[in-house]
Amino acid sequence: MSRYAYVNGQYLPLSVAGVHVEDRGYQFADGVYEVVAVANGHAIDEEAHLARLDYSLKEMSLAWPVSKAALKHILKRMVALNRLTNGLLYLQITRGVSRRDHGFPKPGVPPALVVTAKNMKPVSPELLEKGVAVVTMPDLRWKRCDIKSVSLLPNILAKQAAKDMGAYEAWLLDDKGYVTEGSSTNAWIVTDKGEIVTRPLGAPILAGVTRRAILALAKEAGLKPVERPFKPAEALKAKEAFLTSATSWALPITRIDGKPVGDGKPGPMTLRLRALYAQAVEKGL
Ligand code: PDD
């Protein structure tokens, strides 16, 4: 089946879809993005993604390319055109096309909007049974990781370094040795007191939409979510560790830098939170 992309007002077969060579996203990574997971043809937590998009756009002094209602319509149409049942929508907004110059273009240059879609298999049962490995490395990113910018060079280098070491994800460490987050996921541990710990929001991390949902579900279930920073040494003494993102939901981490977390198996709290999230998705989160 052919895939379709949305590019600045047109739905085009992916094979012919393209952007201008002087798009500022291409030349400067001057843009923001969102990844929205789709389950049973429904965009999960769409409102929260659009709220974060609004935040990123404001922080970058970028205008919405179309209204929120129009964007929702485009996302729906992309789900239908691509016959997406389970997968993801990728949307990217850049500062548009203009002659290369670091300063912003003159007023009147419209921001550019691109949306793509892809089918994805659910997380494999093997990953859920065994959990995944992470490796730690310095966080080399800029000081505004709360903006979901398309400028992801340190993230992709960290992810590839982790892959090269046979790990699934990189946990990034700030100057004091605390975990900020993963290269494309938020980081969590579960202590022996049953506290579900994740770093508080702020400039060093992205406000994960899945993080937000998991915190709310944990509170609702009477569990003990705590927002504070932690170091890899604490994670290695913890009962459980896991990561969250729109595409992985809550995924158990069973090894950090080659050493086992807890008993080296996916933990019950992580699996419970994953099940709560799955239930919420089923109900139409
Ligand atoms: N990544 N931290 C970073 C740096 C991320 O890039 C992401 C998302 C997250 C998790 O956020 P959310 O729960 O909203 O997906 C945390 C997406 C999936 C990506 O870049 O593909």
Side-chain angles (χ1 to χ4, degrees):
M1 198 206 95
S2 53
R3 287 168 61 199
Y4 287 85
Y6 172 92
V7 187
N8 298 320
Q10 288 182 295
Y11 297 90
L12 299 166
L14 205 56
S15 53
V16 299
V19 292
H20 198 282
V21 289
E22 288 194 311
D23 187 294
R24 289 177 63 95
Y26 181 59
Q27 291 191 328
F28 292 117
D30 185 4
V32 298
Y33 76 104
E34 281 294 326
V35 173
V36 186
V38 172
N40 307 316
H42 167 81
I44 300 173
D45 227 348
E46 188 181 57
E47 279 302 327
H49 282 284
L50 297 182
R52 185 173 64 190
L53 178 64
D54 185 55
Y55 175 80
S56 296
L57 288 170
K58 283 211 175 90
E59 293 302 305
M60 303 255 300
S61 306
L62 265 165
W64 277 73
V66 294
S67 69
K68 185 171 139 183
L71 182 55
K72 280 176 147 178
H73 175 80
I74 292 165
L75 295 180
K76 231 184 184 148
R77 181 100 197 268
M78 282 292 287
V79 167
L81 269 177
N82 289 283
R83 292 189 207 147
L84 204 59
T85 44
N86 294 299
L88 65 83
L89 291 161
Y90 174 81
L91 67 104
Q92 172 173 319
I93 297 166
T94 70
R95 208 177 303 276
V97 176
S98 74
R99 240 168 78 154
R100 188 178 182 279
D101 183 79
H102 285 64
F104 291 179
K106 288 196 192 82
V109 171
L113 170 62
V114 168
V115 183
T116 56
K118 72 173 179 189
N119 272 294
M120 256 178 43
K121 289 197 185 104
V123 170
S124 78
E126 200 199 331
L127 273 194
L128 282 177
E129 262 162 46
K130 288 196 181 152
V132 299
V134 300
V135 284
T136 59
M137 57 191 79
D139 191 340
L140 301 179
R141 299 174 303 163
W142 71 327
K143 292 177 179 158
R144 289 304 307 276
C145 299
D146 53 322
I147 300 174
K148 201 159 172 59
S149 146
V150 293
S151 174
L152 289 173
L153 197 49
N155 305 61
I156 61 170
L157 293 176
K159 182 78 93 189
Q160 188 57 42
K163 275 190 176 179
D164 291 344
M165 286 185 262
Y168 182 86
E169 176 62 302
W171 265 11
L172 309 175
L173 306 180
D174 68 16
D175 290 347
K176 293 191 176 125
Y178 287 97
V179 177
T180 52
E181 59 183 335
S183 70
S184 65
T185 57
N186 287 114
W188 304 70
I189 56 172
V190 182
T191 67
D192 51 7
K193 290 186 204 124
E195 287 172 343
I196 304 162
V197 183
T198 195
R199 189 174 175 120
L201 294 183
I205 69 164
L206 183 75
V209 167
T210 324
R211 174 192 178 282
R212 177 176 172 272
I214 292 279
L215 279 175
L217 289 166
K219 267 180 216 151
E220 251 174 62
L223 302 168
K224 283 185 278 183
V226 183
E227 293 176 76
R228 63 164 174 84
F230 61 86
K231 290 185 177 178
E234 187 185 358
L236 279 167
K237 279 192 239 131
K239 284 222 140 134
E240 302 178 28
F242 63 99
L243 56 84
T244 57
S245 79
T247 47
S248 23
W249 299 10
L251 195 61
I253 292 170
T254 44
R255 296 188 86 74
I256 300 171
D257 291 331
K259 296 177 204 106
V261 181
D263 62 3
K265 294 191 191 115
M269 184 68 88
T270 305
L271 298 178
R272 180 164 174 203
L273 291 168
R274 189 180 171 86
L276 287 173
Y277 190 80
Q279 260 174 33
V281 168
E282 209 49 48
K283 277 192 221 152
L285 175 71

